């Protein structure tokens, strides 16, 4: 069983009012989710940075085939159609390696830009791994203040990058309360950098798991400071282009130009699938090593004895599968065992995460079974 931040969905949907500039210690309610760029946000709009498509996009071959998926959860038998309907899924893509074998959109289409929410954390992890491989970061065991001296004297002082990556920073934080405050404050012009500096130490870093979105923002700040370019520019140059993303996307910032890092990539489901495929292929895309293979391995393995279900900004499941998870049930799910990537975009999923695990495992097994059957019939 893996712990997921599903409860954040309740906080993020709680209130839709705008707030005045918040006092430092206030906890305002959450904003409504911002509209995706496909329904009204332009690249000139404050709060978004564009990510341009690759000049060499990774080809996804359309090879649709029937998938007779059934699974059992809590004694009840379900089908794939049933799962998609009950979860309010708006976009769903299944890759058999680089083949699109199943794809469905409801009230959306292939060009729709879906909000990533916390799936962004796994992109931030990739950016850290690339910066480490390029020598901009010497070690993930370095203190964060080596790269962001502005955090000296804050709760982050003395905390290692590793403890940020594995969600063990020790700062005082309650995800369902503090993320709404941060998100609203950032949207109203209060810099995320200042909010990070205000964090206080609550417990000894490296001793337990506490899901903390501010850790992921600080990691994106580290990337920007260490590389000398804004986070979104580094993502463009080192991930979005080299990984072969095919469509224009957007990355949220705090209206002061600080990219959030913990959320808010707006991209197509096929490009989210390309990111999953990048990790399925050990960090390679179109014959080039985009993310160091060693980082792909390290970040998708248990990162601490106190939590075997979390790597370095990736959630871990059974049989070696791993996933980037976002608010309300957004998922990039990768199964090295079966060679399958699944992407799900939805307004909100209220089913238990364990049922999604069962459904996705059944889908992956069926993809592998039908692959084998087709190869056998071809010979």
């Amino acid at each position: 069983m893996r712990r997921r931040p599903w409860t954040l969905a309740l906080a993020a949907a709680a209130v839709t009012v705008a707030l005045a500039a918040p006092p430092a210690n206030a906890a305002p309610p959450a904003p409504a989710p911002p509209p995706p760029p496909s329904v009204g946000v332009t690249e000139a709009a404050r709060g978004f940075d564009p990510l341009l498509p690759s000049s060499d996009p990774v080809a996804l071959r359309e090879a649709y085939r029937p998938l007779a998926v059934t699974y059992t959860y809590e004694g009840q038998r379900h089908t794939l159609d049933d799962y998609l309907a009950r979860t309010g899924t708006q976009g769903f893509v299944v890759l058999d390696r680089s083949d699109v074998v199943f794809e469905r959109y409801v009230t959306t289409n292939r060009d729709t830009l879906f909000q990533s929410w916390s799936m962004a954390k796994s992109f931030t992890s990739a950016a850290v791994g690339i910066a480490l491989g390029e020598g901009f970061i010497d070690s993930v065991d370095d203190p964060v203040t080596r790269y962001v001296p502005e955090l000296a004297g804050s709760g982050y002082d003395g905390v290692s990058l590793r403890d940020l990556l594995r969600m063990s920073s020790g700062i005082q934080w309650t995800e369902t309360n503090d993320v709404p405050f941060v998100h609203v404050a950032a949207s109203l012009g209060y810099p995320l950098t200042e909010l990070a500096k205000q964090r206080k130490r609550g417990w000894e870093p490296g001793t337990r798991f506490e899901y903390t979105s501010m850790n992921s923002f600080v990691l994106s700040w580290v990337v920007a400071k260490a590389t000398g370019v804004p986070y979104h520019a580094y993502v463009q140059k080192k991930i979005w282009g080299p990984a072969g993303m095919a469509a224009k996307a957007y990355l949220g910032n705090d209206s002061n130009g600080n990219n959030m890092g913990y959320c808010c990539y707006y991209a197509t489901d096929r490009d989210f699938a390309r990111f999953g495929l990048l990790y399925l292929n050990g960090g390679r895309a179109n014959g080039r090593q985009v993310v160091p293979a060693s980082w792909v391995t390290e970040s998708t393995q248990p990162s601490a004895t106190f939590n075997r279900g979390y790597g370095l900004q990736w959630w871990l499941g059974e049989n070696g599968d791993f996933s980037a998870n976002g608010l309300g049930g957004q998922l990039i799910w990768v199964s090295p065992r079966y060679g399958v990537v699944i992407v799900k975009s939805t307004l909100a999923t209220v089913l238990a995460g364990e049922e999604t695990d069962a459904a996705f495992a059944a889908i992956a097994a069926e993809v592998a079974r039908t692959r084998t059957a087709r190869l056998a019939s071809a010979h």
Side-chain angles (χ1 to χ4, degrees):
M1 180 184 298
R2 50 182 148 173
R3 178 184 170 195
R4 291 194 179 104
W6 297 132
T7 51
L8 180 55
L10 300 178
V15 178
T16 60
V17 297
L19 302 173
N25 296 318
S38 57
V39 290
V41 176
T42 69
E43 67 180 89
R46 187 178 71 171
F48 295 96
D49 290 302
L51 296 174
L52 303 180
S54 173
S55 60
D56 183 22
V58 166
L60 298 179
R61 186 173 73 100
E62 294 179 4
Y64 303 117
R65 61 180 185 252
L67 297 178
V69 176
T70 61
Y71 65 96
T72 300
Y73 180 72
E74 293 189 339
Q76 298 293 316
R77 196 162 181 80
H78 301 287
T79 66
L80 175 56
D81 285 344
D82 169 49
Y83 174 82
L84 295 177
R86 288 189 301 118
T87 56
T89 297
Q90 294 182 300
F92 199 77
V93 176
V94 180
L95 297 186
D96 179 358
R97 301 190 176 105
S98 59
D99 287 351
V100 181
V101 297
F102 185 92
E103 190 170 29
R104 181 175 295 177
Y105 298 97
V106 178
T107 70
T108 60
N109 58 57
R110 190 180 300 170
D111 298 322
T112 298
L113 303 183
F114 293 100
Q115 160 69 289
S116 71
W117 291 113
S118 286
M119 294 194 309
K121 293 177 171 66
S122 299
F123 284 88
T124 296
S125 173
V128 170
I130 295 168
L132 179 68
E134 292 190 322
F136 291 112
I137 295 172
D138 286 335
S139 169
V140 294
D141 293 312
D142 286 342
V144 65
T145 48
R146 176 172 177 180
Y147 304 96
V148 186
E150 294 90 333
L151 289 173
S154 75
Y156 282 110
D157 199 344
V159 177
S160 71
L161 301 184
R162 185 181 301 278
D163 281 333
L164 296 178
L165 286 158
R166 64 183 180 174
M167 296 296 186
S168 185
S169 65
I171 67 166
Q172 293 177 1
W173 187 268
T174 302
E175 184 75 3
T176 53
N177 294 333
D178 291 321
V179 160
F181 162 62
V182 164
H183 212 65
V184 170
S187 69
L188 294 174
Y190 202 82
L192 282 164
T193 49
E194 293 301 315
L195 291 166
K197 289 186 221 178
Q198 293 172 8
R199 294 298 101 195
K200 305 297 183 185
R201 178 68 55 80
W203 43 278
E204 183 64 24
T207 60
R208 74 173 199 240
F209 176 87
E210 186 66 46
Y211 188 82
T212 302
S213 285
M214 183 58 80
N215 292 346
S216 303
F217 164 70
V218 171
L219 286 168
S220 67
W221 192 6
V222 168
V223 169
K225 293 279 285 185
T227 64
V229 298
Y231 171 81
H232 74 272
Y234 195 69
V235 168
Q236 172 73 65
K237 184 176 181 181
K238 298 298 180 177
I239 299 176
W240 211 256
M245 305 309 185
K248 191 173 186 177
Y250 292 83
L251 181 52
N253 61 46
D254 66 359
S255 77
N256 283 273
N258 301 298
N259 293 120
M260 293 178 171
Y262 65 88
C263 88
C264 306
Y265 279 69
Y266 289 93
T268 67
D269 271 355
R270 284 199 174 194
D271 278 342
F272 285 136
R274 286 181 173 91
F275 185 64
L277 184 63
L278 175 70
Y279 268 67
L280 179 66
N281 291 334
R284 293 183 65 81
N286 281 342
R288 53 184 171 249
Q289 195 72 44
V290 178
V291 181
S294 59
W295 184 256
V296 172
T297 298
E298 182 178 2
S299 60
T300 57
Q301 291 183 350
S303 57
T305 56
F306 49 76
N307 184 13
R308 305 293 295 175
Y310 200 74
L312 303 178
Q313 308 278 292
W314 287 90
W315 294 88
L316 311 180
E318 303 296 330
N319 300 310
D321 63 79
F322 53 91
S323 61
N325 294 9
L327 183 153
Q330 325 303 318
L331 281 168
I332 303 170
W333 187 87
V334 182
S335 172
R337 177 188 183 188
Y338 290 117
V340 170
V341 174
I342 301 174
V343 171
K344 178 168 77 74
S345 293
T346 180
L347 286 175
T349 293
V350 296
L351 301 182
E354 290 81 0
E355 180 169 354
T356 289
D357 289 342
F360 281 23
I363 293 167
E366 175 65 3
V367 169
R369 185 193 70 79
T370 55
R371 178 201 307 143
T372 301
R374 284 174 176 249
L375 289 174
S377 65
H379 293 86

